[in-house]
Amino acid sequence: MSLSVRRFGLLLGLLVAVGVGLRFHDLEKRSLWADELFTLSIAQYHPLWPEAGQPWFRRIQLLQIGDGDTFLTAKAADQSPPLNELLEKATANWLGATELAARLPAALAACALLLWFAGFAWRHPDPHVRRVLGWSLLLLVLYPALVMYAKEGRAYSIGVSLAGMAGLLWMLRWRNGWRAWQPPGWTEIGLFALACYAHYNAALLVVLLLSADAVMATKLRSRRAWGRLLALGLVFLVWLVLNAHAILFTSRGGVTWPPGSAWNDVLLTLNDALAALHPYWIGLAGLVLLGLILLRSLRGQNLWPTQGAVQLWVLAGLTLLYVALVGMVTAKAGMSHPRFFIFILPFVAVLMGLVFAELRQRWLIAGVALLLVALAQPSMRLTLSSNNDDFRAMTLAGVRGSDRDTLFLYHWVPNRNVYRVYLERFLGEDPRSRMIGISTFQDVAQVCEQLKGHAHVAVLGHIYGKGEIDAVYAYCGVRWPQRSHEQFHNTFAEHWRAQ
């Protein structure tokens, strides 16, 4: 083994170690935020097998999920496939309802993506492919959105990792063009199937990628290719049938965020997509590409290797098409966020890797690598989009000073299990019989009646529910003249005492 090969192997190992460190650093530091708590509550409180007298499955909407519903019923009422919650069910059973249990599947999946790219970069026989994958690995290790969502107990990291692992197999199959096309293997199909079961935006990417294979399978009459494509379709169709009612509900704006105009949807799509893709790196890759083309033009050389130019165009076109389609989907659903675009990032990393792999001078390679590291800070848009609801500190403050007679007032009845996760953890018992929820101002009188006769009420609230909580106190707070308030990030806790 040559010295340069050993150095390359050491570099790959160092990059993976840095990537793992970034993904596990402070993994448990932040409180779980509302969506993470909802995800964990689905995993923790809904059994795979029905309890006595309960059906295996009933077709309901998200706000109709009840205590006796199975995991299948609860997830089918949600807007996303079930893979992440299944993994969290396993880790929560092992580690309890903790931050580590909620985020471990995402972090491990993120690390698996790095190991996957490093493995192919190490053993691929083509030196050019190894260079491209080496640069791609550096980008994946530092990609701000990938690091951020590797530390969140949601489906995004799992989806992008599975799509990236299968996507690398897809890109390697297609790197020599349609004349050298081969049908997808079962490993690729299996990873794509798992990606579909992680998130619908990952499934959209799978459809885009495998549409090209469907064209070739039809053109060449490849039964093997069509058999594997149909197998994937049938596997995912099972979930689509179970989840159809939730998909229709979402597509009609059932969970719409603040509405906007068509022009506003376009601007949001561009803003969120750029935040996920990391504009600083995109700009640097563009400058390097233009610089290399200009230099080769001045030297009278070919502007770019023919095959490499095709690969650049294909990946750039794939990225733009995916961003446009996801933008349309999010606009239709009435939701927009950078996280919805992250599933394309492994392909963008390879796209930029194709550019940087053309650098030959060591000082240029070192300079660009240092610039990538220096520019690895998340953009302002990505930073502002991160969620930091401090439910943990809120619940600790609410539990502090409580006794067996204390009632816990929380905002929005459908979010009971979101508040329940931390309450159950810190109380050491099931708190449901002591939890009183308020959803609207019309519920104030009823809530006051439920609280009557108790000397101590502990309030757990999100900032959006402050108005309803204040309305309850204004209506019947005379019963509890001592009112204390503690404010946390997007959450607050109060204690109402009779004396």
Side-chain angles (χ1 to χ4, degrees), residues 174-237:
W174 278 94
R175 80 181 194 280
N176 293 322
W178 62 271
R179 289 184 177 85
W181 177 82
Q182 293 293 327
W186 281 115
T187 300
E188 183 181 337
I189 290 294
L191 289 170
F192 274 139
L194 289 172
C196 290
Y197 269 89
H199 197 279
Y200 282 125
N201 285 4
L204 179 59
L205 178 58
V206 173
V207 171
L208 275 180
L209 297 173
L210 295 184
S211 292
D213 288 290
V215 171
M216 291 303 299
T218 302
K219 182 178 180 179
L220 300 179
R221 299 181 181 179
S222 174
R223 292 183 178 179
R224 183 172 61 165
W226 264 117
R228 292 173 182 179
L229 293 175
L230 289 174
L232 169 57
L234 289 173
V235 166
F236 192 46
L237 181 63

Side-chain angles (χ1 to χ4, degrees), residues 38 138 145 165-166 170 173 230 233 238 252 254 307 318 341 344 390 417 458:
F38 172 76
L138 172 63
M165 293 164 72
W170 183 91
R173 275 196 307 110
L230 289 174
V238 173
R252 294 167 181 163
Q307 190 63 41
L318 172 67
F341 297 90
I344 196 67
D390 200 345
N417 282 350

Side-chain angles (χ1 to χ4, degrees), residues 415-427:
N415 259 357
R416 184 193 62 179
N417 282 350
V418 169
Y419 289 91
R420 176 186 171 188
V421 172
Y422 274 128
L423 255 184
E424 190 164 283
R425 175 173 155 187
F426 296 141
L427 288 174

